[in-house]
Amino acid sequence: MHVPDGFINAPVSVAAGVVGAAAVAVSLRGARRELDERTAPLAGLVAAFIFAVQMLNFPVAAGTSGHLLGGALAAILVGPYTGVLCVSVVLLMQGILFADGGLTALGVNVTVMGVVTVVLAHAVFRGLLAILPPTRRSVTVAAFVGALLSVPAAAAAFTAVYAVGGTTDVPIGKVLTAMVGVHVLIGIGEAAITAATVGAVIAVRPDLVHGARGLTAPLKLRVGGELVDAPATASAPAVAGAGAGSTKKVWVTGLVTALVLAGFVSFYASADPDGLEKVAADKGIDEKVEEHAAANSPLADYGVKDVEDARLSGGLAGVIGVGVTVVAGTGIFWAVRRRRTEDLTAASTSVSAG
């Protein structure tokens, strides 16, 4: 659903840019409460994983494909504020390096693909967890439903933006029907990928899943033949010690998975146009589409310039994309985490001085 340049007029693109920038600014502040020494590197990995999986277009209908948007996955794994930042980092890397998603439309893409998907998926996810039993299965089910609904919601949001600032005269009712219809199908794929990924992380480290916090059973001790909750002072070191090593394992496993998906599996992705591209071509939305400003980038269209072998070119581009995204994302999230630490230190010093 990457909106290219030329679909939306300049005034609405600027307005969407302001909305997107405001959302990122709010998320930078909110992410300070979500990130700690474990989740900061995980957030960078989530961004890289989303980048990799977005390269895997899957068929959804005759001549149409879809791919992960990632807002729901990011919100559930690392929190809604950090989730918006994850998707924004991915969109920025894709737009600048790979000519995917217009640069003048970056605000539209951040708003539609990042803010709308994260906010709606997180709201649905939390709403379902409030009425479902507090189990890991409930987290997976809620993740599935939240992801499923987030995609057609993003399609409807794009249609609303197009209704205000579209550059072609196309009946909005037809655009809405086509966009929501195909993206309901894409949403099924989004939901399956999101639920499978969340379930896999929960099975290994539920404490690393933002949406599953509070579900980890406390450490038990046997006293007088009965199991009782261990005191916090006894359980904390054990949990911290156990988590340190396996956090690294989760990170390495996730990074290797992202590299394999982007560097190898992406070659077998569907070559059919995605939902927005198909609707745009069928309804005439793309009549005034503009060439991307980074069309001559060495990595444009997810291939390495001057590398003749298509498989090697695409694989190298995918690996580079994952590497750049994980480095950029991790750097940003560590900076946010450091700012939180400085704020807490300053507050503690102020209280002590008082």
Side-chain angles (χ1 to χ4, degrees):
M1 202 185 296
H2 294 75
V3 180
D5 297 317
F7 276 24
I8 308 298
N9 63 31
V12 174
S13 294
V14 170
V18 172
V19 172
V24 170
V26 171
S27 297
L28 283 169
R29 292 187 63 85
R32 296 181 196 175
R33 300 190 298 270
E34 295 173 343
L35 295 170
D36 55 30
E37 65 278 0
R38 295 174 302 168
T39 54
L42 180 63
L45 176 62
V46 169
F49 184 80
I50 291 173
F51 174 91
V53 180
Q54 283 195 3
M55 294 183 66
L56 308 181
N57 281 47
F58 48 84
V60 295
T64 309
S65 69
H67 63 70
L68 182 81
L69 297 186
L73 178 63
I76 295 164
L77 286 180
V78 292
Y81 293 107
T82 309
V84 170
L85 297 179
C86 283
V87 178
S88 299
V89 168
V90 172
L91 292 172
L92 182 62
M93 295 299 103
Q94 290 171 331
I96 293 176
L97 298 178
F98 298 92
D100 189 9
L103 296 183
T104 63
L106 183 59
V108 175
N109 287 322
V110 168
T111 301
V112 171
M113 295 179 65
V115 178
V116 171
T117 57
V118 167
V119 170
L120 187 134
H122 185 257
V124 171
F125 177 79
R126 284 299 175 191
L128 288 175
L129 286 188
I131 59 177
L132 293 173
T135 64
R136 296 178 183 179
R137 179 173 296 180
S138 294
V139 173
T140 304
V141 170
F144 183 95
V145 177
L148 175 64
L149 297 179
S150 70
V151 179
F158 165 77
T159 306
V161 173
Y162 190 82
V164 178
T167 56
T168 55
D169 186 16
V170 179
I172 297 304
K174 293 184 177 180
V175 176
L176 178 63
T177 301
M179 283 292 291
V180 173
V182 70
H183 283 91
V184 165
L185 300 177
I186 295 173
I188 296 173
E190 177 103 10
I193 295 170
T194 300
T197 304
V198 171
V201 179
I202 286 179
V204 179
R205 286 293 303 275
D207 59 306
L208 293 181
V209 179
H210 185 274
R213 290 179 178 177
L215 297 181
T216 306
L219 182 65
K220 298 286 186 179
L221 296 178
R222 185 173 297 278
V223 179
E226 296 182 359
L227 288 176
V228 298
D229 291 344
T233 54
S235 59
V239 174
S246 54
T247 299
K248 183 177 180 180
K249 292 180 180 179
V250 170
W251 196 91
V252 171
T253 301
L255 180 59
V256 170
T257 301
L259 290 171
V260 170
L261 292 176
F264 177 74
V265 181
S266 62
F267 181 78
Y268 301 98
S270 173
D272 290 332
D274 66 21
L276 176 58
E277 291 172 333
K278 179 65 173 176
V279 172
D282 290 347
K283 304 301 179 183
I285 294 176
D286 60 355
E287 289 181 2
K288 296 185 179 181
V289 66
E290 301 173 2
E291 184 179 28
H292 199 286
N296 294 321
S297 164
L299 299 173
D301 297 324
Y302 298 94
V304 178
K305 190 175 181 179
D306 297 330
V307 176
E308 300 297 333
D309 185 273
R311 178 175 297 185
L312 178 60
S313 178
L316 287 175
V319 169
I320 293 170
V322 168
V324 171
T325 303
V326 76
V327 170
T330 301
I332 291 171
F333 296 125
W334 269 118
V336 173
R337 167 60 183 163
R338 183 177 180 182
R339 181 65 180 272
R340 176 192 178 187
T341 302
E342 292 174 351
D343 290 346
L344 292 175
T345 302
S348 176
T349 302
S350 177
V351 171
S352 299

